[in-house]
Amino acid sequence: MTDKKKVLLSGMQPTGMLHLGNYEGALKNWVDLQNSGKYEIYFCIVDWHALTTAYENTADIVERIYQITADYIAAGLDPEKVAIFVQSDVKQHAELQLLLSMITPIPWLERVPSYKEKVETLGLDSYGFLGYPLLQTADIIIYRADGVPVGKDQLPHLELTREIVRRFNYIYGDVFPEPEALLSDAPYIPGADRRKMSKSYDNHICMGDPPDKIKKRVMSYYTDETKIHRGDSGHTDTCPVFALLKIYAPDEIDKIKSDCESGNTEWGCVKCKKLLADRIIEKFTPFREKREQLLTDREKLRKILADGAERARIRAEETMKLVRKALKMWSEQ
Ligand code: TRP
């Protein structure tokens, strides 16, 4: 790792097994960024963030950390090239969040869209939950990150991060660069009910699902509701199965489109689904085998995360020294 490389940080909640939306929307991009060799990269599994909502149900978090780590590595993240680690192993994140909280006006946090929405829908009202985006800010800037590979949904959080950086640098002097979002052009990945694929909707397909489970889920997908008989002409632009076939069967897509739209009686929705299931199974079988093998050696996964945390701590502590100095804290005088 040389000084010239730009630093990237991204974070993910320990949600357990990843689904196709996670893969196509984020993970694939991270693997490409890693393989470009242009960056020094930190990937943080944010277990403290999980506690902002799941504070009563903490028993699953450890297992989810193993599952997600196996998924990341099986999908191509290389722990030799990027630091993969657990947030709570790098206590400096918490120290930085505390110090940042001193200069963060409460209304800045209250106006973050996901906060307002979750207060209304989930009735969350804890101090920790209000501080979610501030902890995220600490995750990012503790590595003095230049870029943050995320989806569009994270842009308000990143805007807040930049505002806090400006305020900190203004008050205490330049310590942090203003991090930029690295948006990937992720395709739309619909779930079985045609909403965005999400575990909370239970409409998802996991990359590590066994073939029969994938098949069952794919067969349950909505298609174009106006196409009732095979001879009816279908609308591929609104069909969720077609959206996935574009990704997983690009070689067949022109034929499928014309058969569906012209109402070719030889080719109906069931055939589309069978093809889709076969393609997803084919693509992710090597991945599933690799993740299963990784999960048989928990000690090794633990060691990978411990190594990642060690590397992360070096950079995080370096930053905290600068921060404590800038704040004229006791320890740095
Ligand atoms: N809020 C992010 C999400 O829901 C997770 C996250 C926490 C994160 N800390 C981060 C993302 C730092 C990027 C950078 O997906």
Side-chain angles (χ1 to χ4, degrees):
M1 289 186 196
T2 67
D3 286 342
K4 289 188 296 309
K5 282 190 179 177
K6 293 220 173 214
V7 173
L8 304 184
L9 170 292
S10 199
M12 48 267 168
Q13 292 223 22
T15 49
M17 283 173 86
L18 295 173
H19 58 64
L20 302 187
N22 300 134
Y23 178 70
E24 305 294 344
L27 186 44
K28 212 168 108 184
N29 182 36
W30 298 350
V31 174
D32 290 344
L33 289 168
Q34 163 194 279
N35 292 340
S36 77
K38 286 199 292 205
Y39 305 101
E40 177 179 328
I41 307 184
Y42 297 87
F43 282 117
C44 179
I45 301 172
V46 295
D47 57 340
W48 281 330
H49 276 101
L51 297 179
T52 63
T53 47
Y55 56 88
E56 282 182 308
N57 184 13
T58 58
D60 298 339
I61 295 178
V62 166
E63 178 58 24
R64 288 187 180 161
I65 290 173
Y66 282 121
Q67 295 285 332
I68 203 169
T69 305
D71 274 356
Y72 282 119
I73 296 170
L77 281 192
D78 178 352
E80 303 271 316
K81 294 189 186 147
V82 306
I84 309 173
F85 63 99
V86 179
Q87 185 185 38
S88 63
D89 272 341
V90 186
K91 313 291 184 211
Q92 286 84 349
H93 291 225
E95 182 185 357
L96 183 56
Q97 189 203 12
L98 175 86
L99 295 176
L100 294 177
S101 77
M102 307 304 170
I103 63 163
T104 305
I106 293 175
W108 287 17
L109 299 173
E110 284 173 335
R111 69 165 194 242
V112 172
S114 57
Y115 176 74
K116 279 193 247 164
E117 183 198 305
K118 286 198 175 154
V119 166
E120 279 159 28
T121 57
L122 304 175
L124 288 165
D125 58 2
S126 72
Y127 171 58
F129 184 64
L130 178 66
Y132 182 114
L134 197 59
L135 183 56
Q136 179 161 351
T137 297
D139 296 340
I140 296 167
I141 71 177
I142 199 142
Y143 301 100
R144 282 164 283 142
D146 303 291
V148 188
V150 280
K152 277 205 218 70
D153 61 314
Q154 295 297 312
L155 288 180
H157 285 155
L158 213 62
E159 207 33 63
L160 178 78
T161 298
R162 294 161 60 86
E163 277 174 302
I164 290 171
V165 163
R166 288 194 286 270
R167 188 163 164 88
F168 184 100
N169 289 346
Y170 175 75
I171 300 174
Y172 300 113
D174 276 344
V175 172
F176 299 109
E178 267 183 53
E180 305 210 9
L182 258 75
L183 293 174
S184 63
D185 37 9
Y188 175 60
I189 305 292
D193 57 1
R194 70 163 71 248
R195 288 188 289 177
K196 184 179 171 194
M197 188 176 285
S198 162
K199 277 195 164 175
S200 43
Y201 297 150
D202 190 22
N203 65 0
H204 59 291
I205 299 167
C206 285
M207 301 158 71
D209 276 342
D212 52 329
K213 195 163 174 195
I214 294 178
K215 194 161 226 161
K216 207 163 150 214
R217 181 67 91 182
V218 171
M219 296 320 280
S220 81
Y221 256 72
Y222 276 56
T223 52
D224 171 17
E225 290 100 334
T226 64
K227 185 177 169 83
I228 305 192
H229 305 291
R230 257 187 290 179
D232 296 344
S233 62
H235 301 86
T236 50
D237 50 339
T238 56
C239 173
V241 171
F242 188 81
L244 294 182
L245 282 166
K246 273 200 261 185
I247 300 167
Y248 298 109
D251 51 323
E252 306 260 8
I253 204 70
D254 293 338
K255 183 165 185 323
I256 294 170
K257 185 172 162 69
S258 73
D259 283 349
C260 173
E261 290 178 355
S262 67
N264 180 351
T265 51
E266 300 297 311
W267 187 271
C269 299
V270 172
K271 284 203 173 144
C272 266
K273 288 179 177 182
K274 283 198 171 127
L275 175 66
L276 178 60
D278 286 347
R279 288 297 179 89
I280 293 175
I281 291 164
E282 189 185 314
K283 171 159 183 170
F284 288 102
T285 292
F287 165 86
R288 189 184 72 250
E289 289 167 359
K290 176 118 199 266
R291 85 183 289 284
E292 277 165 11
Q293 183 232 325
L294 285 161
L295 283 164
T296 60
D297 192 350
R298 305 279 167 132
E299 271 317 301
K300 188 168 158 201
L301 290 175
R302 224 171 218 287
K303 168 118 196 1
I304 286 170
L305 293 172
D307 277 359
E310 210 173 299
R311 280 186 274 157
R313 270 198 300 269
I314 290 171
R315 176 117 182 141
E317 182 52 25
E318 219 174 79
T319 304
M320 281 317 295
K321 281 216 157 71
L322 299 173
V323 169
R324 295 181 203 118
K325 207 172 231 151
L327 266 79
K328 307 206 177 351
M329 298 298 296
W330 169 256
S331 62
E332 299 300 326
Q333 298 303 305

